[in-house]
């Protein structure tokens, strides 16, 4: 989400701050200047008035002695004209004896001036001044009075209207204001230029910050400048870039770790010191059949993994022990066996627990198969060996007659052959298991192949007065296979049919092509195979009739070898019962038409 646009930009703020500062500075300077100027001009005007008053006094002292009031008044008018100010002559008793602004008649009614502040001051200090409203001339006036040595006049007073003083000040004030306005305009222009420049840089930095916020850490192409702003921006930029580098390093490490964990066959579970689930890899989820939706990361592990074995291991490690590996079957998949080991987690999740799960189901099965196999082999070998030993002992007795001896030797020979067959089959299976038999695929003539199989077994079939019928469907004349191995497989199936089907029955061998595959079926008219055993007859040593009451002399390995040989061709073999009874074995091998 983009931040809301700032209400006042940095540039406007900066501009107004600079403008306010210059207005304030100029206003203070202007006020100070105007006041100083006014005071100075005021002081100068007053000083001039004082000088003029003294001069008037001097003129009175030096001039011809004036004694009559009309003379004095006329002199006041003359001096007043010379100086350009109102001139008043005041007698020692305060009477006005001459005034440049009054006629003789007017003088008579002028108030006594003895109590005027400037007169009181002049009487005390030779010089007095005052500013006030004059009732005589009806305006604000500046008064200056000096004492004078004259027979009829004690004080000369000069008065100047204050408007005159202000008029003298006006041009100064106007010039000051004009200068201040120009200075203000200049200040505003400079403030604007600087604020625009700095605002542009601030916007550039803000733009880069926004780009970083969006997660795009591409370094900016423009510099930040050499001043403090640039230094701060550069320092922040460097830190962001550094943080970005560390984040991407972390992301890479994490991705690598996740790839390793995801690719592991072993299940990995990490629990933190507070017994909360930190990590469960896919293998562990599959092994324990955990729900995909409910991941439970960050929650107590017991909510997700409710297995006593795991709880025991976690508690063991958290209690500072080194618990042994445990084996258990997950309740949701009891057919599997899982081995779990636990160790304390080092590093980031200190004192947590790492659990590693191994699915040992296949290992256990292989182990079981190996044990069964060894037991079966021992059992299969013991039977003929026991018989042979018994008959050898019987033979070594002196009282056996010739007939018995011959009979015993025949039995020994049969058991020896049986052992030979067993050992031969075992060796063949071992070779097939070890991948030592290579496939030599060629295009074989189906007719030839099946004829040799039949020819091989014909004596046994004849002995049991059975018929073997071979049908080769059109299109199935040739098959791509290793002829020797396919021969061995078919021979096994037909030999079984001869063995298990009753006398005088017919064995059907049929070859046909179906969907690019060659299928060869061997069907007999025997008892068939019980449905429950159909899927198991290809197991090693598996016999339907376990009692061996009617021992057909088989090793129990024939069909296992057939399965191996056909799978070597990339094909498959299946057993079923025909619709009218009788076992039916079907070999299917991929064999595209030539
Ligand atoms: P064996 O050497 O005992 O024949 P096989 O592996 O060839 O061993 O056969 C396994 C078992 O399958 C036999 O013991 C038998 O019970 C059953 N079987 C095989 N072929 C037939 C068949 N054509 N009819 C009935 N049962 C059969």
């Amino acid at each position: 989400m983009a931040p809301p646009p700032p209400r006042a930009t940095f540039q406007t703020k900066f501009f107004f701050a600079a403008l306010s500062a210059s207005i304030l500075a100029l206003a203070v300077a202007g006020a100070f200047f105007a006041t100083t100027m006014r005071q100075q001009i005021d002081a100068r005007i007053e000083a001039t008035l004082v000088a003029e008053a003294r001069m008037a006094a001097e003129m009175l002292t030096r001039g011809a002695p004036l004694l009559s009031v009309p003379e004095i008044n006329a002199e006041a008018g003359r001096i007043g004209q010379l100086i350009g100010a109102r001139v008043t002559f005041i007698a020692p008793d305060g009477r006005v004896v001459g005034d440049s602004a009054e006629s003789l008649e007017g003088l008579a009614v002028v108030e006594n001036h003895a109590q005027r502040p400037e007169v009181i001051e002049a009487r005390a200090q030779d010089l007095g001044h005052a500013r006030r409203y004059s009732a005589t001339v009806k305006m604000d006036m500046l008064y200056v009075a000096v004492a004078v040595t004259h027979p009829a006049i004690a004080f000369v007073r000069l008065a100047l209207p204050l408007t005159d003083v202000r008029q003298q000040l006006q041009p100064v004030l106007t010039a000051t204001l004009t200068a201040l306005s120009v200075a203000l305009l200049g200040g505003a222009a400079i403030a604007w230029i600087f604020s625009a420049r700095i605002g542009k840089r601030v916007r550039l930095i803000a733009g880069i910050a926004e780009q970083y916020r969006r997660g795009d850490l591409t370094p900016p192409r423009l510099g930040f400048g050499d001043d403090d702003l640039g230094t701060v921006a550069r320092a922040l930029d460097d830190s962001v870039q550094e943080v970005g580098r560390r984040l991407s390093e972390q992301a890479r490490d994490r991705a690598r770790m996740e790839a390793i964990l995801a690719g592991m066959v072993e299940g990995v579970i990490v629990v933190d010191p507070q017994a909360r689930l930190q990590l469960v890899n896919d293998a562990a989820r599959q092994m324990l059949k955990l729900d995909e939706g409910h991941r439970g990361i960050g929650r107590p592990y017991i909510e997700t993994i409710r297995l006593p074995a795991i709880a025991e291991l976690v508690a063991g490690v958290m209690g500072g022990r080194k618990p042994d590996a445990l084996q258990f079957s997950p309740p949701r998949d009891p057919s599997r066996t899982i081995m779990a080991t636990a160790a304390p987690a080092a590093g980031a999740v200190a004192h947590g627990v790492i659990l590693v799960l191994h699915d040992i189901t296949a290992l256990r099965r292989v182990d079981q198969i190996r044990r069964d196999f060894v037991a079966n082999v021992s059992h299969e070998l013991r039977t003929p060996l026991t018989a042979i030993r018994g008959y050898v002992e019987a033979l070594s007795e002196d009282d056996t007659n010739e007939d018995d001896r011959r009979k015993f030797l025949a039995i020994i020979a049969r058991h020896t052959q049986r052992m030979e067959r067993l050992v031969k089959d075992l060796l063949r299976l071992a070779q097939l298991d070890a991948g030592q038999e290579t496939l030599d695929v060629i295009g074989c003539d189906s007719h030839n192949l099946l004829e040799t199989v039949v020819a091989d077994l014909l004596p046994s079939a004849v002995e049991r007065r059975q018929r073997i019928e071979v049908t080769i469907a059109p299109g199935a004349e040739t098959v791509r296979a290793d002829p020797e191995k396919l021969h061995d497989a078919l021979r096994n199936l037909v030999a079984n049919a001869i063995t298990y089907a009753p006398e005088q029955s017919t064995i059907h061998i049929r070859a046909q092509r179906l969907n690019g595959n060659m299928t060869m079926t061997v069907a007999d008219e025997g008892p068939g195979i019980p449905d429950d055993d159909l899927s198991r007859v290809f197991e090693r040593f598996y016999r339907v009739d376990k009692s061996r009451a009617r021992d057909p002399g088989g090793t129990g390995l024939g069909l296992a070898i057939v399965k191996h040989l056909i799978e070597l061709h990339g094909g498959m073999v299946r057993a079923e019962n025909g619709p009218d009874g009788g076992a039916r074995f079907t070999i299917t091998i991929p064999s595209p038409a030539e």
Side-chain angles (χ1 to χ4, degrees):
M1 199 187 73
R7 267 179 296 160
T9 60
F10 180 79
Q11 180 175 341
T12 23
K13 280 186 182 172
F14 188 86
F15 172 68
F16 280 114
L19 194 64
S20 316
S22 47
I23 289 175
L24 188 70
L26 288 174
V28 169
F32 187 69
F33 180 74
T35 323
T36 317
M37 275 316 275
R38 190 194 169 115
Q39 280 170 355
Q40 283 206 352
I41 289 174
D42 242 25
R44 209 171 51 237
I45 289 172
E46 207 174 301
T48 313
L49 213 57
V50 169
E52 284 169 352
R54 286 200 198 285
M55 192 117 92
E58 197 62 27
M59 275 166 74
L60 278 181
T61 320
R62 302 254 173 119
L66 305 166
L67 295 170
S68 72
V69 170
E71 273 175 349
I72 296 171
N73 198 31
E75 184 67 6
R78 204 173 58 83
I79 296 175
Q81 227 159 23
L82 272 175
I83 296 170
R86 181 182 163 199
V87 178
T88 311
F89 295 147
I90 300 161
D93 58 358
R95 256 181 322 109
V96 175
V97 287
D99 194 316
S100 62
E102 291 290 344
S103 61
L104 269 176
E105 297 80 54
L107 273 185
V109 292
V110 171
E111 224 180 289
N112 188 299
H113 273 32
Q115 290 312 309
R116 293 288 197 274
E118 65 275 8
V119 175
I120 296 170
E121 203 183 334
R123 187 173 285 132
Q125 297 166 10
D126 256 18
L127 176 67
H129 41 76
R131 281 164 199 250
R132 70 170 180 279
Y133 183 75
S134 158
T136 323
V137 290
K138 302 201 170 34
M139 58 176 77
D140 283 333
M141 301 290 278
L142 168 64
Y143 295 100
V144 169
V146 291
V148 61
T149 325
H150 188 277
I153 304 163
F155 305 102
V156 173
R157 191 186 74 169
L158 258 58
L160 198 65
L162 277 175
T163 42
D164 281 8
V165 176
R166 287 188 191 129
Q167 261 164 18
Q168 286 191 44
L169 267 172
Q170 199 54 49
V172 175
L173 286 176
T174 314
T176 310
L177 271 179
T178 315
L180 286 180
S181 307
V182 172
L184 190 63
L185 279 179
I190 292 170
W192 179 253
I193 292 169
F194 271 98
S195 61
R197 277 165 65 178
I198 205 159
K200 195 173 153 203
R201 290 177 57 209
V202 170
R203 276 196 298 282
L204 172 91
I205 293 169
I208 293 167
E210 172 58 21
Q211 171 202 319
Y212 287 169
R213 199 188 62 78
R214 285 196 312 268
D216 175 5
L217 296 188
T218 323
R221 274 174 291 120
L222 298 166
F224 291 112
D226 296 328
D227 55 8
D228 295 355
L229 187 62
T231 312
V232 170
R234 241 190 321 280
L236 288 176
D237 183 59
D238 287 350
S239 342
V240 169
Q241 294 294 344
E242 181 60 27
V243 169
R245 262 194 299 280
R246 288 193 193 164
L247 279 179
S248 57
E249 249 170 53
Q250 272 183 9
R252 260 202 311 279
D253 286 354
R254 199 177 168 80
R256 200 180 307 138
M257 193 187 80
E258 275 172 5
I260 292 171
L261 284 170
M264 275 174 79
V265 186
E266 290 83 9
V268 178
I269 297 172
V270 181
V271 172
D272 73 5
Q274 284 74 42
R276 286 182 309 232
L277 203 56
Q278 288 286 300
L279 185 147
V280 182
N281 74 346
D282 289 347
R285 282 185 190 284
Q286 277 166 17
M287 278 183 207
L288 303 181
K289 294 265 177 291
L290 299 181
D291 299 340
E292 272 306 302
H294 175 67
R295 298 222 148 220
I297 300 298
R299 314 258 331 133
Y301 82 95
I302 209 85
E303 288 179 9
T304 310
I305 306 167
R306 287 195 203 89
L307 291 168
I310 300 276
E312 194 179 314
L313 283 174
V314 171
V317 173
M318 286 197 175
R321 296 188 297 279
K322 276 191 185 166
D324 292 336
L326 282 181
Q327 289 186 13
F328 64 92
S329 293
R332 293 187 181 182
D333 191 2
S335 65
R336 310 204 76 82
T337 309
I338 310 284
M339 187 172 80
T341 44
V349 271
H351 313 304
V353 182
I354 295 184
L355 291 150
V356 179
L357 312 180
H358 298 263
D359 186 342
I360 55 165
T361 316
L363 265 173
R364 295 247 301 198
R365 194 176 297 142
V366 168
D367 196 43
Q368 189 59 41
I369 289 171
R370 188 186 55 78
R371 267 183 280 165
D372 289 353
F373 184 74
V374 171
N376 278 325
V377 171
S378 324
H379 184 76
E380 292 292 332
L381 285 173
R382 204 175 54 215
T383 318
L385 276 175
T386 316
I388 290 168
R389 204 185 64 196
Y391 286 107
V392 168
E393 275 170 14
L395 277 176
S396 26
E397 280 165 20
D398 293 339
D399 56 347
T400 36
N401 61 35
E402 194 56 28
D403 278 356
D404 283 346
R405 272 167 54 92
R406 227 175 278 126
K407 211 167 81 193
F408 293 169
L409 281 174
I411 295 170
I412 290 173
R414 206 176 70 237
H415 281 294
T416 317
Q417 277 166 10
R418 186 194 165 100
M419 274 174 59
E420 231 174 49
R421 272 204 308 279
L422 184 69
V423 171
K424 209 175 101 218
D425 281 356
L426 280 172
L427 276 174
R428 180 102 206 239
L429 267 176
Q431 270 177 346
L432 285 167
D433 279 343
Q436 283 169 352
E437 294 213 15
T438 48
L439 207 58
D440 201 0
V441 176
I442 51 165
C444 325
D445 184 292
S446 308
H447 191 75
N448 267 353
L449 186 80
L450 293 173
E451 273 310 308
T452 28
V453 172
V454 173
D456 274 5
L457 296 167
L458 204 55
S460 324
V462 168
E463 196 179 306
R464 307 206 63 211
R465 285 174 287 159
Q466 289 162 330
R467 255 170 27 90
I468 302 179
E469 218 179 79
V470 178
T471 318
I472 296 173
E477 289 83 6
T478 49
V479 53
R480 284 198 59 78
D482 183 323
E484 269 181 43
K485 295 191 174 65
L486 189 54
H487 174 275
D488 289 353
L490 285 164
R491 192 179 186 281
N492 255 305
L493 295 179
V494 178
N496 276 351
I498 293 171
T499 311
Y500 298 105
E503 294 199 346
Q504 294 185 338
S505 59
T506 309
I507 294 156
H508 302 270
I509 306 177
R510 185 180 166 79
Q512 60 181 336
R513 185 173 295 282
L514 259 179
N515 308 327
N517 290 324
M518 180 65 121
T519 57
M520 292 185 160
T521 315
V522 178
D524 61 43
E525 295 169 351
I529 300 164
D531 285 347
D532 289 348
D533 297 305
L534 277 175
S535 61
R536 301 202 58 190
V537 287
F538 295 101
E539 287 176 18
R540 293 169 191 199
F541 297 113
Y542 192 83
R543 287 191 182 89
V544 174
D545 183 2
K546 293 170 185 69
S547 68
R548 294 206 187 93
R550 182 183 146 259
D551 184 5
T555 60
L557 296 173
L559 288 180
I561 293 173
V562 171
K563 187 167 184 265
H564 236 309
L565 290 172
I566 298 307
E567 283 176 354
L568 207 58
H569 281 85
M572 52 179 255
V573 55
R574 66 171 195 276
E576 60 201 330
N577 288 312
D580 308 320
R584 186 162 70 188
F585 287 85
T586 309
I587 287 172
T588 309
I589 50 174
S591 173
E594 296 268 299

